[in-house]
Amino acid sequence: MIKVCIADNYPVVHFGVKSYFKDNADISIVANVGNFLMVRDILLTKEIDVLVLDLELEGLSSIFEVKAILKNFPKTKIIIFSGLSEQIYAPNAIKAGVSGFIHKKEKLETLGISIIKVHQGKIIINETVKKNLALIAKQSKSERLYRKLSNREVEVLRYLSDGKKNHEIADILKLNEKTISTYKLRLLTKLNVTNLVDLVNKAKTLEIV
């Protein structure tokens, strides 16, 4: 039996996933958490084979925190179950070491199949993501800019798009404010814009945020 923990902000997700898998012969939902701070506590107290994690989980500010979980609990596989843009966050998540990325628009049957495959040691990327990446590779330079962005740059861009100031982002990511300014400058250069408004608009146009 594959022991699974669901880490998500919304009770309806917990209820829906747990109800769907309640009679499953291979998968058992043994824990539900609504805050990233609780994830470590669960992993310390229970044997979790697969952690199904939303990147927008309360208390989770950076993909680097996910990497830390993977390093400290190597026996636990992680599947990202999120509504964020697949073409941006799936490659970055896989690069960080997670075993799969499932968009929340997918059926729970897909999540179940993915949990089993990930437990077997496979890496799961949705076919839609693969097709999108293949198409994007053929697009113009400006349309492929997002592929040049690092995990940290994507995170900073996401917070800038949410209207957060440099010092606020520095606090969230536990970085120096000057470091955030440097990332902001890199973003302006890479996305070929000169101000924050255009930066955010460009990011939205390219579905980076």
mmCIF file of all heavy atoms in Angstrom, residues 3 5 43 48-52 70 73-79 97-100 115 117-123:
data_model
loop_
_atom_site.group_PDB
_atom_site.id
_atom_site.type_symbol
_atom_site.label_atom_id
_atom_site.label_comp_id
_atom_site.label_asym_id
_atom_site.label_seq_id
_atom_site.Cartn_x
_atom_site.Cartn_y
_atom_site.Cartn_z
ATOM 1 N N LYS A 3 1.588 4.882 0.872
ATOM 2 C CA LYS A 3 1.118 5.852 1.867
ATOM 3 C C LYS A 3 1.325 7.271 1.330
ATOM 4 O O LYS A 3 2.445 7.650 1.000
ATOM 5 C CB LYS A 3 1.857 5.647 3.183
ATOM 6 C CG LYS A 3 1.654 4.269 3.792
ATOM 7 C CD LYS A 3 2.443 4.131 5.078
ATOM 8 C CE LYS A 3 2.258 2.755 5.691
ATOM 9 N NZ LYS A 3 2.787 1.664 4.828
ATOM 10 N N CYS A 5 0.510 11.589 1.543
ATOM 11 C CA CYS A 5 0.119 12.789 2.297
ATOM 12 C C CYS A 5 -0.302 13.852 1.296
ATOM 13 O O CYS A 5 0.398 14.105 0.310
ATOM 14 C CB CYS A 5 1.288 13.296 3.140
ATOM 15 S SG CYS A 5 0.973 14.905 3.931
ATOM 16 N N LEU A 43 6.296 14.210 8.056
ATOM 17 C CA LEU A 43 7.346 13.332 7.530
ATOM 18 C C LEU A 43 8.230 12.768 8.645
ATOM 19 O O LEU A 43 8.804 11.693 8.503
ATOM 20 C CB LEU A 43 8.201 14.077 6.509
ATOM 21 C CG LEU A 43 7.474 14.487 5.220
ATOM 22 C CD1 LEU A 43 8.410 15.271 4.302
ATOM 23 C CD2 LEU A 43 6.926 13.271 4.487
ATOM 24 N N ILE A 48 5.797 8.315 4.896
ATOM 25 C CA ILE A 48 5.079 8.813 3.724
ATOM 26 C C ILE A 48 5.850 8.419 2.463
ATOM 27 O O ILE A 48 7.019 8.773 2.304
ATOM 28 C CB ILE A 48 4.917 10.347 3.774
ATOM 29 C CG1 ILE A 48 4.189 10.781 5.053
ATOM 30 C CG2 ILE A 48 4.203 10.851 2.523
ATOM 31 C CD1 ILE A 48 2.755 10.311 5.140
ATOM 32 N N ASP A 49 5.184 7.696 1.579
ATOM 33 C CA ASP A 49 5.833 7.287 0.326
ATOM 34 C C ASP A 49 5.764 8.392 -0.718
ATOM 35 O O ASP A 49 6.738 8.639 -1.438
ATOM 36 C CB ASP A 49 5.152 6.030 -0.234
ATOM 37 C CG ASP A 49 5.280 4.838 0.696
ATOM 38 O OD1 ASP A 49 6.406 4.570 1.155
ATOM 39 O OD2 ASP A 49 4.249 4.197 0.979
ATOM 40 N N VAL A 50 4.602 9.045 -0.805
ATOM 41 C CA VAL A 50 4.414 10.103 -1.803
ATOM 42 C C VAL A 50 3.730 11.308 -1.168
ATOM 43 O O VAL A 50 2.676 11.176 -0.545
ATOM 44 C CB VAL A 50 3.567 9.609 -2.995
ATOM 45 C CG1 VAL A 50 3.371 10.743 -4.011
ATOM 46 C CG2 VAL A 50 4.218 8.412 -3.680
ATOM 47 N N LEU A 51 4.341 12.470 -1.337
ATOM 48 C CA LEU A 51 3.767 13.726 -0.871
ATOM 49 C C LEU A 51 3.176 14.447 -2.071
ATOM 50 O O LEU A 51 3.890 14.755 -3.034
ATOM 51 C CB LEU A 51 4.845 14.595 -0.218
ATOM 52 C CG LEU A 51 4.467 16.039 0.140
ATOM 53 C CD1 LEU A 51 3.389 16.071 1.217
ATOM 54 C CD2 LEU A 51 5.704 16.823 0.585
ATOM 55 N N VAL A 52 1.857 14.677 -2.040
ATOM 56 C CA VAL A 52 1.181 15.407 -3.112
ATOM 57 C C VAL A 52 1.067 16.853 -2.652
ATOM 58 O O VAL A 52 0.320 17.164 -1.718
ATOM 59 C CB VAL A 52 -0.209 14.805 -3.404
ATOM 60 C CG1 VAL A 52 -0.932 15.620 -4.473
ATOM 61 C CG2 VAL A 52 -0.064 13.351 -3.868
ATOM 62 N N LEU A 70 13.183 17.145 -0.014
ATOM 63 C CA LEU A 70 13.666 15.990 -0.766
ATOM 64 C C LEU A 70 15.028 15.518 -0.251
ATOM 65 O O LEU A 70 15.301 14.317 -0.196
ATOM 66 C CB LEU A 70 13.761 16.337 -2.259
ATOM 67 C CG LEU A 70 12.425 16.470 -2.986
ATOM 68 C CD1 LEU A 70 12.606 17.193 -4.315
ATOM 69 C CD2 LEU A 70 11.805 15.106 -3.200
ATOM 70 N N PHE A 73 14.382 13.992 3.369
ATOM 71 C CA PHE A 73 13.520 12.809 3.387
ATOM 72 C C PHE A 73 13.583 12.117 2.018
ATOM 73 O O PHE A 73 12.608 12.115 1.260
ATOM 74 C CB PHE A 73 12.080 13.196 3.735
ATOM 75 C CG PHE A 73 11.947 13.907 5.051
ATOM 76 C CD1 PHE A 73 11.962 15.305 5.115
ATOM 77 C CD2 PHE A 73 11.824 13.199 6.232
ATOM 78 C CE1 PHE A 73 11.861 15.964 6.328
ATOM 79 C CE2 PHE A 73 11.713 13.854 7.453
ATOM 80 C CZ PHE A 73 11.733 15.238 7.504
ATOM 81 N N PRO A 74 14.731 11.541 1.689
ATOM 82 C CA PRO A 74 14.959 10.975 0.351
ATOM 83 C C PRO A 74 14.046 9.812 -0.024
ATOM 84 O O PRO A 74 13.894 9.517 -1.213
ATOM 85 C CB PRO A 74 16.421 10.522 0.413
ATOM 86 C CG PRO A 74 16.704 10.323 1.870
ATOM 87 C CD PRO A 74 15.906 11.377 2.565
ATOM 88 N N LYS A 75 13.436 9.168 0.951
ATOM 89 C CA LYS A 75 12.552 8.036 0.655
ATOM 90 C C LYS A 75 11.161 8.496 0.202
ATOM 91 O O LYS A 75 10.375 7.700 -0.318
ATOM 92 C CB LYS A 75 12.422 7.131 1.878
ATOM 93 C CG LYS A 75 13.712 6.390 2.224
ATOM 94 C CD LYS A 75 13.498 5.460 3.407
ATOM 95 C CE LYS A 75 14.777 4.704 3.744
ATOM 96 N NZ LYS A 75 14.599 3.786 4.907
ATOM 97 N N THR A 76 10.868 9.767 0.422
ATOM 98 C CA THR A 76 9.559 10.322 0.046
ATOM 99 C C THR A 76 9.624 10.974 -1.335
ATOM 100 O O THR A 76 10.447 11.840 -1.570
ATOM 101 C CB THR A 76 9.097 11.367 1.075
ATOM 102 O OG1 THR A 76 8.984 10.754 2.363
ATOM 103 C CG2 THR A 76 7.737 11.941 0.686
ATOM 104 N N LYS A 77 8.749 10.523 -2.229
ATOM 105 C CA LYS A 77 8.643 11.134 -3.551
ATOM 106 C C LYS A 77 7.647 12.292 -3.475
ATOM 107 O O LYS A 77 6.706 12.250 -2.683
ATOM 108 C CB LYS A 77 8.149 10.112 -4.571
ATOM 109 C CG LYS A 77 8.949 8.823 -4.633
ATOM 110 C CD LYS A 77 10.320 9.036 -5.211
ATOM 111 C CE LYS A 77 11.040 7.704 -5.386
ATOM 112 N NZ LYS A 77 12.413 7.898 -5.923
ATOM 113 N N ILE A 78 7.843 13.288 -4.317
ATOM 114 C CA ILE A 78 6.927 14.431 -4.325
ATOM 115 C C ILE A 78 6.289 14.596 -5.703
ATOM 116 O O ILE A 78 6.976 14.584 -6.724
ATOM 117 C CB ILE A 78 7.648 15.740 -3.945
ATOM 118 C CG1 ILE A 78 8.125 15.685 -2.487
ATOM 119 C CG2 ILE A 78 6.726 16.944 -4.146
ATOM 120 C CD1 ILE A 78 8.834 16.942 -2.013
ATOM 121 N N ILE A 79 4.961 14.743 -5.687
ATOM 122 C CA ILE A 79 4.212 15.104 -6.890
ATOM 123 C C ILE A 79 3.629 16.490 -6.658
ATOM 124 O O ILE A 79 2.979 16.725 -5.645
ATOM 125 C CB ILE A 79 3.060 14.121 -7.172
ATOM 126 C CG1 ILE A 79 3.609 12.752 -7.609
ATOM 127 C CG2 ILE A 79 2.130 14.668 -8.267
ATOM 128 C CD1 ILE A 79 2.518 11.717 -7.838
ATOM 129 N N GLY A 97 13.887 18.300 -8.438
ATOM 130 C CA GLY A 97 13.949 16.948 -7.902
ATOM 131 C C GLY A 97 12.620 16.262 -7.642
ATOM 132 O O GLY A 97 12.589 15.110 -7.192
ATOM 133 N N VAL A 98 11.499 16.961 -7.896
ATOM 134 C CA VAL A 98 10.207 16.306 -7.682
ATOM 135 C C VAL A 98 10.008 15.248 -8.763
ATOM 136 O O VAL A 98 10.641 15.283 -9.820
ATOM 137 C CB VAL A 98 9.028 17.306 -7.686
ATOM 138 C CG1 VAL A 98 9.290 18.436 -6.710
ATOM 139 C CG2 VAL A 98 8.759 17.842 -9.079
ATOM 140 N N SER A 99 9.111 14.321 -8.499
ATOM 141 C CA SER A 99 8.935 13.187 -9.411
ATOM 142 C C SER A 99 7.799 13.364 -10.410
ATOM 143 O O SER A 99 7.653 12.561 -11.328
ATOM 144 C CB SER A 99 8.699 11.913 -8.594
ATOM 145 O OG SER A 99 9.831 11.611 -7.799
ATOM 146 N N GLY A 100 6.981 14.394 -10.216
ATOM 147 C CA GLY A 100 5.876 14.584 -11.147
ATOM 148 C C GLY A 100 5.180 15.912 -10.953
ATOM 149 O O GLY A 100 5.293 16.539 -9.896
ATOM 150 N N ILE A 115 0.704 8.619 -8.953
ATOM 151 C CA ILE A 115 1.209 8.222 -7.632
ATOM 152 C C ILE A 115 1.857 6.842 -7.704
ATOM 153 O O ILE A 115 2.948 6.608 -7.171
ATOM 154 C CB ILE A 115 0.070 8.228 -6.593
ATOM 155 C CG1 ILE A 115 -0.339 9.680 -6.268
ATOM 156 C CG2 ILE A 115 0.493 7.501 -5.306
ATOM 157 C CD1 ILE A 115 -1.586 9.789 -5.404
ATOM 158 N N LYS A 117 3.061 5.287 -10.427
ATOM 159 C CA LYS A 117 4.265 5.317 -11.263
ATOM 160 C C LYS A 117 5.442 5.978 -10.548
ATOM 161 O O LYS A 117 6.581 5.520 -10.648
ATOM 162 C CB LYS A 117 3.961 6.048 -12.579
ATOM 163 C CG LYS A 117 3.081 5.244 -13.524
ATOM 164 C CD LYS A 117 2.892 5.975 -14.847
ATOM 165 C CE LYS A 117 2.078 5.118 -15.821
ATOM 166 N NZ LYS A 117 1.864 5.808 -17.123
ATOM 167 N N VAL A 118 5.142 7.062 -9.839
ATOM 168 C CA VAL A 118 6.192 7.765 -9.090
ATOM 169 C C VAL A 118 6.755 6.866 -7.996
ATOM 170 O O VAL A 118 7.970 6.831 -7.758
ATOM 171 C CB VAL A 118 5.629 9.078 -8.500
ATOM 172 C CG1 VAL A 118 6.497 9.581 -7.365
ATOM 173 C CG2 VAL A 118 5.514 10.142 -9.588
ATOM 174 N N HIS A 119 5.886 6.121 -7.339
ATOM 175 C CA HIS A 119 6.328 5.188 -6.300
ATOM 176 C C HIS A 119 7.232 4.104 -6.878
ATOM 177 O O HIS A 119 8.102 3.560 -6.183
ATOM 178 C CB HIS A 119 5.109 4.554 -5.616
ATOM 179 C CG HIS A 119 5.456 3.704 -4.441
ATOM 180 N ND1 HIS A 119 5.268 2.337 -4.422
ATOM 181 C CD2 HIS A 119 5.993 4.023 -3.233
ATOM 182 C CE1 HIS A 119 5.671 1.851 -3.272
ATOM 183 N NE2 HIS A 119 6.114 2.859 -2.529
ATOM 184 N N GLN A 120 7.043 3.810 -8.165
ATOM 185 C CA GLN A 120 7.865 2.820 -8.856
ATOM 186 C C GLN A 120 9.189 3.410 -9.350
ATOM 187 O O GLN A 120 10.016 2.711 -9.920
ATOM 188 C CB GLN A 120 7.094 2.239 -10.044
ATOM 189 C CG GLN A 120 5.866 1.418 -9.642
ATOM 190 C CD GLN A 120 4.988 1.062 -10.827
ATOM 191 O OE1 GLN A 120 5.103 1.640 -11.922
ATOM 192 N NE2 GLN A 120 4.093 0.098 -10.632
ATOM 193 N N GLY A 121 9.365 4.712 -9.119
ATOM 194 C CA GLY A 121 10.615 5.357 -9.499
ATOM 195 C C GLY A 121 10.586 6.114 -10.810
ATOM 196 O O GLY A 121 11.621 6.583 -11.297
ATOM 197 N N LYS A 122 9.402 6.267 -11.390
ATOM 198 C CA LYS A 122 9.291 6.962 -12.667
ATOM 199 C C LYS A 122 9.073 8.463 -12.470
ATOM 200 O O LYS A 122 8.617 8.899 -11.424
ATOM 201 C CB LYS A 122 8.143 6.371 -13.487
ATOM 202 C CG LYS A 122 8.349 4.896 -13.827
ATOM 203 C CD LYS A 122 7.148 4.320 -14.564
ATOM 204 C CE LYS A 122 7.352 2.827 -14.850
ATOM 205 N NZ LYS A 122 6.165 2.232 -15.508
ATOM 206 N N ILE A 123 9.411 9.226 -13.496
ATOM 207 C CA ILE A 123 9.196 10.670 -13.501
ATOM 208 C C ILE A 123 7.980 10.959 -14.381
ATOM 209 O O ILE A 123 7.912 10.488 -15.522
ATOM 210 C CB ILE A 123 10.417 11.436 -14.044
ATOM 211 C CG1 ILE A 123 11.669 11.110 -13.223
ATOM 212 C CG2 ILE A 123 10.149 12.935 -14.061
ATOM 213 C CD1 ILE A 123 11.594 11.560 -11.782
#
